[in-house]
């Protein structure tokens, strides 16, 4: 039987599912209910500097009828007195000794202030500390949060102060609002951080009210940029986690964050090296109960894959990520449409013509392949066709199917495999699972990368700006 | 003399009829409409659009509902089909747009196109806005349109958008033809048909009511107009050809449906028999049930496989409680002054496929009302011309022959569309015919 138990930076965890430092971890009563629901840990809503919150605080964007594809907040850190939070941490740890409680901290940039809060959080019984160097709104204007995370020297300095005092593992939470997340990650590692968590929220404006012209969330007619999260940010978070975890100077135990709401999301973060995952938006949307399927689904997948522990697959996709110049240029796939599955929506056809390489055609019922018939010509032909309501008595010769498939042959597109570049677009827009598959074509050529071509002098090296840190 | 008024205000409404014939397919509210709109895949060269005789760009109007651009949605519909509201309620979408939806092959419910279309059109009507089209610059040309049904209305709208005068002549007191008087009230209420025509009338269409055009008037109209559009539909319902048909208690489906829709008939007697098994017969039978009849029979000489009604209409009739007598033929009517029973003979099929009475298969069905729905005759006598001259236009089996793309008849000055050319189809077919003819007339007048 596989297990979800794991050890993260020395902290024993009953499962890798933590609630991120956010409204779902605002108080002890909430966190205890979350633990009852199955959450393995919780990062307490950030404790530290005194603040006042605004009303309203959240906004979101919906997509094609789905609510909260992306979520945004301008709420600050905990607005409860530090003593109350610390007392409740102690109570939670007393009642739930096996669950992980991490204290998220953020105070002004003074050594003694950091020493003081570290001491008090650990005295309360926190299993570890998370340094909030990522909050992108409000706190950063006061020199905290992202204002620290965006300056590697400050990041290193404060992590150093915390490490002078801390007896429990120190996790540095990174901001994505930076051009290269590896730089602050390396700074944290240099200062002795025990772990990293990424990503915090992304600077965002979710939308504007088109009646009032006021951006959301609205506070007395005005707004302020917020922190973006939810399903929409997962690809950005996965990339940043991979960047850090593939960098030997930055990699540390990683608590992955960003758009996680399902067991599949969690598995992906773990495959890119995360030891635990943190969840916020999905729990804010649907409640703590979502963790049950995250655990259940992940265990079932582990059973199918033959993994006993999270370590059995943690980081296993990292070797499959590489720089573009190291990809095999002689690998070729082409789209294949499975006619028996095609429903005739022809979205692949319009996508290929307008968005890709004009190599899907609607010419199966024409006398010969026709690569010059544009979508406009196809549509105009249909519009010029006269159709009438079929009435049995009046139409003795009903329209028959024009091919062997359930979809009329005239509506099943054909891929010109000679021209297909294998871009995937058609298979991405196709609404039917497994209807368009990308099939490997044997080019008969040995694998070859751009870097190899440069090395062999087949292609020029190319000239960038001297000293560009990206090179 | 043109009569441009508020037709909807003249609607002879009846609260009792409204209560007995509530919407068969209730309107979507906004949330439901947007959710459904988001389900649409937005097919390229969509099969629903191809299946629609008027080629409404269905995915386009649906996406405009999803994007909360209801004005644009209604305009997309109206651009293709000026009776988009009526069609959203009256169309047999199961065999048209919704029948063609690719979702059928996706193992999912087809998109509810009709309800979405109604949602967009209702929003336009509720906004009080006029049609999103203006009359074209006056060309000085004029067209007389015979009949005020969907074909003529669609033709007139195209003509007005091109600056051509459109004068409609209709036999009834209100416009719309069968769209107003002939569609089951639970699909399209009479007042809704008139509301849509009010908008078309704002384009400057002129109406002449209570005017049955005869040969003499047709000759006059031909002389005074640049072209004539024939959109008068079909004629009276066929008679059974048996004794007693003039008796009280025998009516026909068109009169029966028009009668209850205009509030003149509000109850039905105990026992009703409808003769025929087409869509109109089903509308009449369902109406009798809803008007209070205890027992409604549909009488048809063949079996359910051969009935001309759509399968979903047959299912609906069964749900309403209509009973069916298959393979029987009326042989006589009984009654003293008023019909009391229908004499029937059971039929069997011979080896050559013909139907013959079964020996000893005669029986009698006690009835209080008989509704005939065995097809309509054509109405083309007035085309014969004055003094028995040859017909103005070429006919085939009573239908006017037209060039499908332009609606032009054998006589270049005459165009035609709707039931008088296609033998009796749907509102949407008439609209498509009228639209093509309107465009065809404008093109012909330009080069003439």
């Amino acid at each position: 039987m596989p297990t979800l138990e794991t050890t993260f930076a020395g902290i024993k965890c009953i499962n890798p599912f933590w609630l991120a430092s956010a409204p779902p971890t605002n108080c002890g009563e909430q966190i205890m209910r979350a633990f009852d629901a199955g959450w393995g840990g919780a990062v307490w809503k950030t404790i530290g500097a005194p603040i006042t919150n605004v009303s309203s605080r959240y906004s979101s964007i919906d997509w094609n009828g789905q609510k909260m594809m992306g979520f945004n907040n301008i709420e600050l850190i905990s607005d409860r007195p530090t003593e109350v939070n610390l007392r409740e941490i102690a109570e939670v740890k007393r009642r739930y000794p096996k669950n992980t409680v991490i204290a998220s901290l953020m105070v002004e940039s003074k050594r003694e202030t950091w020493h003081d809060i570290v001491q008090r959080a650990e005295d309360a019984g926190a299993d570890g500390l998370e340094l909030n160097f990522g909050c992108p709104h409000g706190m950063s204007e006061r020199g905290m949060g992202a204002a620290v995370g965006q300056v590697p020297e400050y990041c290193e300095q404060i992590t150093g102060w915390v490490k002078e005092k801390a007896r429990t593992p120190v996790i540095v939470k990174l901001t994505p609002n930076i051009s290269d997340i590896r730089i602050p990650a390396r700074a944290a590692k240099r200062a002795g951080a025990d772990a990293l968590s990424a990503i915090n929220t992304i600077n965002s404006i979710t939308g504007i009210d088109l009646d009032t012209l006021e951006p959301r969330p609205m506070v007395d007619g005005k707004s302020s940029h917020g922190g973006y999260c939810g399903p929409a940010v997962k690809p950005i978070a996965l990339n940043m986690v991979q960047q850090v975890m593939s960098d030997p100077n930055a990699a540390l135990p990683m608590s992955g964050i960003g758009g996680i709401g399902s067991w599949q999301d969690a598995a992906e973060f773990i495959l890119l090296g995360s030891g635990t995952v943190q969840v916020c938006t999905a729990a804010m949307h649907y409640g703590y109960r979502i963790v049950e399927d995250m655990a259940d689904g992940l265990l079932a997948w582990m059973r199918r894959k033959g993994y006993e522990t999270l370590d059995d697959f943690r980081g296993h996709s990292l070797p499959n990520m590489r720089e573009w110049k190291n990809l095999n240029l002689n690998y070729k796939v082409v789209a294949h449409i499975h006619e028996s599955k095609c429903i005739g929506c022809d979205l692949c056809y319009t996508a290929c013509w307008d968005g890709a390489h004009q190599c899907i055609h609607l010419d199966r019922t024409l006398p010969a392949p026709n690569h010059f018939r544009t979508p406009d010509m196809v549509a105009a032909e249909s519009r010029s066709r006269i159709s009438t309501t079929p009435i049995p008595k009046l139409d003795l010769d009903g329209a028959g199917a024009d091919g062997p498939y359930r979809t009329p042959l005239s509506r099943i597109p054909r891929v010109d495999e000679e021209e297909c570049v294998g871009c995937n677009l058609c298979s991405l827009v196709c609404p039917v699972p497994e209807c368009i598959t990308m099939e490997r074509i044997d080019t008969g050529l040995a694998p070859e990368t751009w870097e190899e071509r440069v090395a062999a002098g087949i292609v020029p090296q190319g000239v960038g700006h001297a000293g560009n840190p990206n090179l | 003399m043109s009569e441009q008024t508020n037709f909807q205000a003249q609607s002879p409404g009846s609260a009792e009829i409204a209560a007995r014939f509530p919407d068969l397919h209730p309107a979507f509210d906004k949330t439901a409409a947007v959710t459904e709109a988001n389900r649409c895949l937005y097919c390229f060269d969509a099969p629903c659009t191809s299946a629609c005789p008027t080629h409404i760009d269905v995915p386009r109007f649906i996406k405009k509902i999803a994007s909360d651009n209801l004005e644009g949605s209604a305009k997309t519909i109206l651009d293709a089909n000026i009776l988009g509201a009526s069609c959203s309620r009256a169309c047999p979408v199961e065999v048209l747009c919704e029948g063609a939806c690719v979702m059928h092959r996706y193992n999912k419910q087809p998109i509810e196109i009709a309800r979405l279309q109604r949602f967009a059109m209702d929003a336009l009507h509720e906004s009080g806005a006029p049609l999103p089209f203006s009359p074209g610059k006056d060309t000085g040309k004029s067209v007389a349109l015979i009949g005020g049904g969907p074909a003529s209305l669609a033709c007139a709208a195209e003509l007005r958008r091109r600056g051509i005068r459109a004068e409609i002549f209709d036999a009834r007191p209100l416009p719309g033809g069968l769209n107003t008087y002939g569609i089951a009230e639970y699909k399209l209420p009479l007042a809704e048909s008139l509301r849509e025509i009010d908008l078309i009338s704002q384009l400057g269409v002129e109406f002449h009511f209570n005017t049955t055009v005869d040969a003499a008037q047709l000759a006059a109209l031909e002389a005074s107009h640049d072209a004539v559009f024939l959109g008068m539909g079909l004629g009276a319902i066929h008679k059974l050809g048996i004794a007693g048909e003039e008796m009280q208690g025998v009516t026909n489906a068109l009169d029966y449906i028009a009668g209850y829709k205009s509030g003149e008939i509000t109850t039905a007697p105990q026992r009703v028999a409808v003769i025929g098994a087409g869509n109109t017969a089903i509308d009449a039978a369902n109406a009798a049930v809803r008007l209070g009849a205890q027992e409604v029979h549909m009488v048809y000489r063949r079996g359910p496989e051969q009935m001309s009604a759509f399968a979903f209409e047959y299912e609906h009739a069964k749900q309403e409680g209509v009973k069916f007598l298959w393979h029987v033929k009326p042989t006589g009517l009984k009654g003293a002054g008023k019909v009391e029973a229908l004499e029937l003979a059971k039929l069997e099929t011979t080896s050559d496929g013909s139907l013959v009475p079964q020996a000893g298969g005669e029986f009698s069905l006690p009835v209080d009302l008989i509704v005939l729905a065995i097809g309509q005759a054509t109405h083309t006598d007035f085309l014969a011309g004055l003094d028995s001259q040859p017909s103005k236009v070429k006919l085939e089996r009573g239908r006017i022959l037209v060039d499908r793309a332009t609606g032009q008849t054998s006589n270049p000055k005459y165009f035609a569309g709707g039931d008088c050319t296609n033998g009796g189809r749907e509102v949407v077919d008439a609209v498509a015919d009228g639209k093509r003819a309107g465009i065809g007339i404008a093109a012909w007048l330009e080069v003439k």
Side-chain angles (χ1 to χ4, degrees), chain B residues 4 25 53 71 126 141 217 257 277 331 353 379 382 393 396 417:
Chain B
Q4 285 197 25
H25 302 290
E71 241 177 277
E126 277 154 27
K141 309 275 187 187
Q217 197 177 359
I257 292 167
T331 53
H379 171 59
F382 72 106
V393 297
E396 190 181 76

Side-chain angles (χ1 to χ4, degrees), chain B residues 365-393:
Chain B
L365 180 73
V367 290
D368 306 305
L369 177 69
I370 291 174
V371 183
L372 302 181
I374 48 177
Q376 286 174 266
T378 53
H379 171 59
T380 51
D381 294 349
F382 72 106
L383 296 172
L386 293 167
D387 307 322
S388 305
Q389 282 172 17
S391 175
K392 295 272 186 197
V393 297

